[in-house]
Amino acid sequence: MSLHGKRKEIYKYEAPWTVYAMNWSVRPDKRFRLALGSFVEEYNNKVQLVGLEEESSEFVCRNTFDHPYPTTKIMWIPDTKGVYPDLLATSGDYLRIWRVSDTETRLECLLNNNKNSDFCAPLTSFDWNEVDPNLLGTSSIDTTCTIWGLETGQVLGRVNLVSGHVKTQLIAHDKEVYDIAFSRAGGGRDMFASVGADGSVRMFDLRHLEHSTIIYEDPQHHPLLRLCWNKQDPNYLATMAMDGMEVVILDVRVPCTPVARLNNHRACVNGIAWAPHSSCHICTAADDHQALIWDIQQMPRAIEDPILAYTAEGEINNVQWASTQPDWIAICYNNCLEILRV
């Protein structure tokens, strides 16, 4: 799909509800496709799959399906070659895996590791392992992280069915866990980190789960909401505190001391996305309507100002940098999705 002939820098889609969770499809044959999750404060919520039409250069909704409670995160299977089934995962009350076809999206499996109770501890986030797409990790308000194994088995005469099982569940923090992310270090399969209400960033290794490493603790013990690994250099990660206006860059080789602070936002930061193709660029988005792109090459010298700024028409809830199309960043605010050429 070549949109370069038209030279539009921004494409916009308006959903029928407030957009919160959002992410780019990774498959090479579905380039300008995204999934959006509604934020409606009741049980009935929705997920929409939207795509950019080449002819009209407009976003169209390809599919809408029901989702219980708002999605806290949405991710497509990290399948850059298009060899796995076309799967989408969502977190909310549970982790759900959906199979997408041209006509419909259907629930493939619901992953629940608390079979003996009617109560479920909501999931705050999850991550899908890029090196081994059969691994997912979830974070929960019950202080735990769970690592799930997926099986995409071949069944004669039917499409391959997807099922999942708990590989391991661990108490990750002293309080609620708010985010989890696999690291590309050490082969990219076994290392992950989490952040939570206790204000710490902790690192784990699936091969040695008996201990974890505290990489950083917020000086005021403010809860940390998000964590994002640098896509090119696995030593760096970014995090941010609840209601905080700055993003902290950490180096795992120098624990507990930020290597940089990005603090130009004038309201609380909601999203962080590293460039997929560069180790020194990162985008932050906040309630001040701004999406800022930073060049952090000068670390550990102070990073004074961003190199690019975009002002949206509302508070930006989420930002995602397209891993297979590094020229494009997606943001959402109010009921709008926008993709921006950078």
Side-chain angles (χ1 to χ4, degrees):
M1 185 176 205
S2 169
L3 293 163
H4 291 271
K6 305 195 176 61
R7 293 307 302 168
K8 249 175 96 169
E9 304 297 314
I10 301 173
Y11 295 87
K12 183 174 176 178
Y13 174 75
E14 293 189 35
W17 20 253
T18 300
V19 181
Y20 174 65
M22 167 272 291
N23 225 325
W24 293 89
S25 170
V26 180
R27 287 176 74 93
D29 55 339
K30 306 277 188 193
R31 282 189 53 209
F32 286 86
R33 180 176 69 162
L34 296 99
L36 314 175
S38 67
F39 185 82
V40 183
E41 292 191 49
E42 55 179 70
Y43 180 79
N44 295 315
N45 274 262
K46 302 277 185 194
V47 172
Q48 281 193 346
L49 310 185
V50 302
L52 205 51
E53 285 289 326
E54 198 169 355
E55 304 309 310
S56 63
S57 69
E58 301 282 334
F59 269 114
V60 293
C61 176
R62 302 261 163 82
N63 201 264
T64 303
F65 58 94
D66 292 324
H67 194 280
Y69 304 105
T71 49
T72 53
K73 188 169 180 179
I74 292 180
M75 277 186 87
W76 298 82
I77 185 167
D79 175 17
T80 50
K81 297 192 171 69
V83 295
Y84 287 87
D86 198 5
L87 300 178
L88 178 74
T90 58
S91 53
D93 50 351
Y94 300 106
L95 181 64
R96 290 176 174 82
I97 311 290
W98 309 82
R99 180 191 293 268
V100 178
S101 70
D102 290 341
T103 51
E104 60 164 9
T105 303
R106 70 161 199 267
L107 182 63
E108 194 73 9
C109 62
L110 182 150
L111 302 177
N112 166 22
N113 59 349
N114 196 356
K115 297 278 195 292
N116 51 9
S117 163
D118 294 337
F119 170 78
C120 70
L123 301 177
T124 49
S125 187
F126 72 97
D127 194 23
W128 207 323
N129 192 294
E130 291 179 358
V131 171
D132 181 358
N134 293 311
L135 278 183
L136 296 97
T138 55
S139 57
S140 170
I141 62 167
D142 68 3
T143 77
T144 70
C145 290
T146 304
I147 305 298
W148 296 89
L150 280 191
E151 291 83 37
T152 49
Q154 295 290 342
V155 178
L156 283 174
R158 294 182 64 182
V159 288
N160 35 357
L161 301 171
V162 178
S163 60
H165 68 278
V166 175
K167 283 184 103 66
T168 187
Q169 182 178 23
L170 59 140
I171 294 172
H173 287 260
D174 303 329
K175 296 179 179 173
E176 297 92 331
V177 191
Y178 288 139
D179 203 4
I180 180 172
F182 287 104
S183 159
R184 290 193 175 180
R189 194 180 172 279
D190 297 294
M191 318 273 280
F192 66 94
S194 61
V195 292
D198 60 11
S200 68
V201 180
R202 300 190 186 202
M203 187 127 175
F204 300 87
D205 185 328
L206 287 173
R207 297 158 297 193
H208 308 287
L209 283 172
E210 61 280 2
H211 57 85
S212 65
T213 309
I214 294 181
I215 300 176
Y216 176 72
E217 288 187 289
D218 184 82
Q220 280 81 44
H221 300 288
H222 289 158
L224 298 177
L225 284 191
R226 288 280 166 266
L227 124 111
C228 205
W229 287 101
N230 187 305
K231 299 281 187 253
Q232 292 295 327
D233 186 336
N235 291 308
Y236 293 107
L237 70 155
T239 186
M240 71 205 203
M242 185 182 285
D243 301 325
M245 290 193 262
E246 70 172 12
V247 169
V248 174
I249 311 287
L250 306 169
D251 182 339
V252 294
R253 297 162 298 188
V254 192
C256 301
T257 312
V259 279
R261 295 178 184 277
L262 311 179
N263 48 18
N264 275 42
H265 283 291
R266 298 290 168 259
C268 72
V269 178
N270 295 322
I272 309 169
W274 287 94
H277 58 311
S278 156
S279 63
C280 53
H281 292 93
I282 186 170
C283 183
T284 59
D287 272 358
D288 59 5
H289 300 200
Q290 294 227 296
L292 305 177
I293 293 181
W294 308 78
D295 182 342
I296 58 166
Q297 277 184 90
Q298 301 188 335
M299 295 190 309
R301 292 216 305 275
I303 314 295
E304 299 290 342
D305 290 303
I307 54 170
L308 275 174
Y310 174 75
T311 305
E313 292 166 21
E315 299 176 350
I316 303 176
N317 294 327
N318 203 333
V319 57
Q320 299 288 344
W321 203 319
S323 59
T324 49
Q325 304 163 89
D327 298 349
W328 293 92
I329 287 177
I331 59 169
C332 55
Y333 59 89
N334 303 335
N335 67 324
C336 298
L337 160 77
E338 283 185 348
I339 64 169
L340 318 170
R341 189 203 298 270
V342 293

